[in-house]
Amino acid sequence: MAARYSALFLAALALSACHRRTSTDIMLLTGRCTTHVRTAGKPAQLPQAPSLRPGLGGVVGTLADSGGALPSFPILALTPGDFPNSPHATTRADSLGGFVFDSLQPGRYRLFVRAFAHKPDSTEVDVSAGRVDTAALRPIFFQCVR
């Protein structure tokens, strides 16, 4: 028992040395957060490739966690170096966890999702004119009990 409390104290000390503690950090230390798998749902399905306009590219992808598809969450396509308030492409995952970006200028993009009760996830894709690339976003289920 004493070993557990010493480990807990050392972990808290290490966290406080690196950054300011958040309520999530405290809940992790006290065991009140979980990354357990959700119950299995529908598997995510890749949507059909879109028709592209000349000079533009696209991305089709899936949004799912270990339990299955995550519908209705917004996905952002950001270019590296963009300011948070700058305009960017946005789409939503459909009922099967699929998403489509059909009008992207050629270049490198970071696809980013922040789904409720999940850790944020992102991936980079290179978009080329006349080509549709694929991507998979897999945020990890993470929930803290208040």
Side-chain angles (χ1 to χ4, degrees):
M1 186 75 152
R4 181 178 177 184
Y5 287 120
S6 350
L8 186 62
F9 175 74
L10 289 174
L13 185 62
L15 279 173
S16 65
C18 296
H19 62 81
R20 209 170 154 197
R21 281 179 291 190
T22 65
S23 61
T24 302
D25 294 332
I26 293 167
M27 288 184 183
L28 274 171
L29 289 171
T30 59
R32 295 180 62 196
C33 290
T34 180
T35 57
H36 293 212
V37 176
R38 296 186 305 125
T39 56
K42 296 178 186 177
Q45 292 185 11
L46 199 62
Q48 286 187 343
S51 298
L52 300 174
R53 290 187 272 166
L56 299 177
V59 176
V60 294
T62 56
L63 174 60
D65 67 5
S66 56
L70 293 173
S72 304
F73 289 107
I75 296 127
L76 308 174
L78 307 167
T79 55
D82 270 356
F83 293 106
N85 295 339
S86 63
H88 51 270
T90 305
T91 191
R92 283 191 177 272
D94 62 19
S95 62
L96 298 174
F99 62 88
V100 176
F101 285 99
D102 60 358
S103 307
L104 296 175
Q105 294 290 329
R108 177 164 280 210
Y109 289 86
R110 176 165 294 280
L111 303 182
F112 180 80
V113 64
R114 189 174 281 173
F116 178 75
H118 290 76
K119 292 182 179 181
D121 190 31
S122 67
T123 188
E124 284 193 4
V125 293
D126 288 317
V127 174
S128 300
R131 195 175 112 213
V132 177
D133 204 351
T134 59
L137 291 167
R138 303 273 182 244
I140 297 171
F141 180 70
F142 181 82
Q143 189 168 9
C144 292
V145 179
R146 301 237 180 247

